[in-house]
Amino acid sequence: MLSYILFAVGFVILIKGADYLVEGSSSIAKRWGLSSIFIGLTVVAFGTSAPEFFVNIIASIEGRSGIVAGTILGSNIVNILLILGIAALITPLTVNTATVSRQIPLSLLAVIVLAVLVNDKFITHEPFNALSRGDGLILITFFVIFLYSVASVMHQKGQEMPIKEHKRSKSLLMILGGCVLLALGGKWIVDGAVQIAQVLEIRESVVGLTIIAVGTSLPELAASGVAAYKGKTDIAVGNVIGSNIFRIFWVLGVSALIRPVNFSDNLNFDILAVGAATVLLLAALYTNKKRILERWEGYVFIILYILYIGFLIYRS
């Protein structure tokens, strides 16, 4: 019972830690004169991906590959189908900034690279699928390329994101406090997830794909929902896409460096689901010249996510 209580409290602490990290980091970035679009694609994307990062670091140290893989794949699916679906219901999402448009194909590339790297049984005829330390280095290399691709908008004007500037000392304290809360919440979530998987007699990856994925994606939901409500649609989409790229290239890359991540054959379906969701987003935005994700498409995204969760329950 204590594990379940800590599991629930862990999400609250995790989200609050991410909030402090984002606010402190964004304040420093704004003081440096960086543009809102750059902050959204990097600082905010990293901050809202921090819950998955800390959960995965702890899970990697403990050798919980199912949680590592499931959390990343599940969170990326939540981001596209559920969060962008909800944001589109608030207001149709128009992508105006070319930089955000370029990052969407890059997020699809991330899924393709991951699919190639983990399918050792099919490609190199190894006895099992895994993300090795060498694969982790490859992912981090792509992450560096991603950072270079957005460096051109460090001072570019665009939709402004409301960022409160704090004193440097307070900002650093918020970053430090956020990291402490993230580490504590991440530990409790991993321990609780292991208990839940054992009690329900399901794979740890299923817990990662569902409960942990939704819980750790709440910062993105809050950030994109508020941005959509305020008409900052570039920021709403950019935050989601930036987070998806961060998760695969950075979070999985670092996780694999700590300990190789085993991928079960079942997870190939979930990798395919992430790729299909990304292709669906590309199609929705590029089938018309206005690059708009309409409200009815938001409904479709949400329905597809519900069907995906239903399939996971059936599969487990």
Side-chain angles (χ1 to χ4, degrees):
M1 181 60 69
L2 180 60
S3 295
Y4 299 146
I5 294 173
L6 292 178
F7 180 73
V9 174
F11 279 114
V12 177
I13 294 176
L14 200 75
I15 293 167
K16 194 60 180 176
D19 184 49
Y20 282 142
L21 181 62
V22 169
E23 189 171 347
S25 302
S26 298
S27 174
I28 291 177
K30 194 69 174 178
R31 280 180 171 274
W32 288 346
L34 302 179
S35 69
S36 288
I37 188 64
F38 178 81
I39 294 173
L41 283 168
T42 55
V43 178
V44 175
F46 177 79
T48 53
S49 298
E52 290 88 354
F53 180 74
F54 278 82
V55 166
N56 273 22
I57 293 303
I58 294 167
S60 295
I61 293 172
E62 296 183 1
R64 303 290 180 181
S65 291
I67 294 177
V68 173
T71 298
I72 296 302
L73 297 175
S75 295
N76 278 20
I77 295 171
V78 169
N79 257 13
I80 296 176
L81 295 183
L82 185 60
I83 293 178
L84 283 185
I86 292 173
L89 295 187
I90 296 173
T91 184
L93 302 177
T94 304
V95 177
N96 295 314
T97 305
T99 303
V100 176
S101 302
R102 289 198 298 268
Q103 303 316 316
I104 299 176
L106 184 57
S107 69
L108 178 59
L109 174 65
V111 180
I112 295 172
V113 170
L114 177 62
V116 171
L117 292 178
V118 301
N119 276 286
D120 301 310
K121 290 172 67 175
F122 176 74
I123 297 175
T124 60
H125 305 291
E126 297 290 334
F128 55 85
N129 292 331
L131 198 65
S132 67
R133 287 189 172 91
D135 296 332
L137 286 173
I138 293 174
L139 291 177
I140 291 175
T141 300
F142 274 101
F143 176 69
V144 173
I145 295 172
F146 161 69
L147 291 180
Y148 178 78
S149 72
V150 298
S152 60
V153 295
M154 289 180 64
H155 304 288
Q156 177 180 305
K157 297 296 182 181
Q159 290 183 349
E160 286 300 312
M161 181 170 56
I163 298 172
K164 187 176 181 180
E165 292 189 36
H166 302 285
K167 292 181 180 179
R168 187 174 288 102
S169 58
K170 184 178 180 179
S171 297
L172 293 174
L173 188 61
M174 293 176 76
I175 293 172
L176 179 60
C179 289
V180 171
L181 292 177
L182 284 161
L184 185 61
K187 173 62 177 173
W188 289 350
I189 288 172
V190 170
D191 291 345
V194 173
Q195 292 287 333
I196 292 172
Q198 291 174 350
V199 170
L200 298 180
E201 297 182 350
I202 59 176
R203 289 189 177 94
E204 292 175 0
S205 60
V206 175
V207 180
L209 285 162
T210 53
I211 302 173
I212 299 179
V214 173
T216 56
S217 295
L218 291 178
E220 282 97 343
L221 176 59
S224 293
V226 170
Y229 178 75
K230 293 182 177 180
K232 311 293 185 179
T233 53
D234 271 352
I235 294 171
V237 177
N239 171 56
V240 164
I241 298 306
S243 295
N244 280 13
I245 295 171
F246 262 80
R247 287 194 188 104
I248 293 179
F249 286 154
W250 175 248
V251 179
L252 269 183
V254 173
S255 299
L257 287 182
I258 295 173
R259 187 190 295 261
V261 181
N262 293 325
F263 274 73
S264 68
D265 292 343
N266 284 338
L267 287 174
N268 269 323
F269 173 81
D270 303 292
I271 294 174
L272 180 63
V274 178
T278 308
V279 170
L280 188 62
L281 176 61
L282 276 167
L285 291 175
Y286 287 93
T287 50
N288 60 72
K289 293 181 180 180
K290 295 182 179 179
R291 296 183 180 178
I292 299 176
L293 184 65
E294 302 283 2
R295 281 195 174 92
W296 70 266
E297 291 171 319
Y299 281 113
V300 171
F301 276 32
I302 294 172
I303 291 171
L304 288 175
Y305 183 73
I306 293 172
L307 291 175
Y308 170 73
I309 293 298
F311 176 78
L312 286 183
I313 295 173
Y314 171 78
R315 187 176 73 179
S316 64

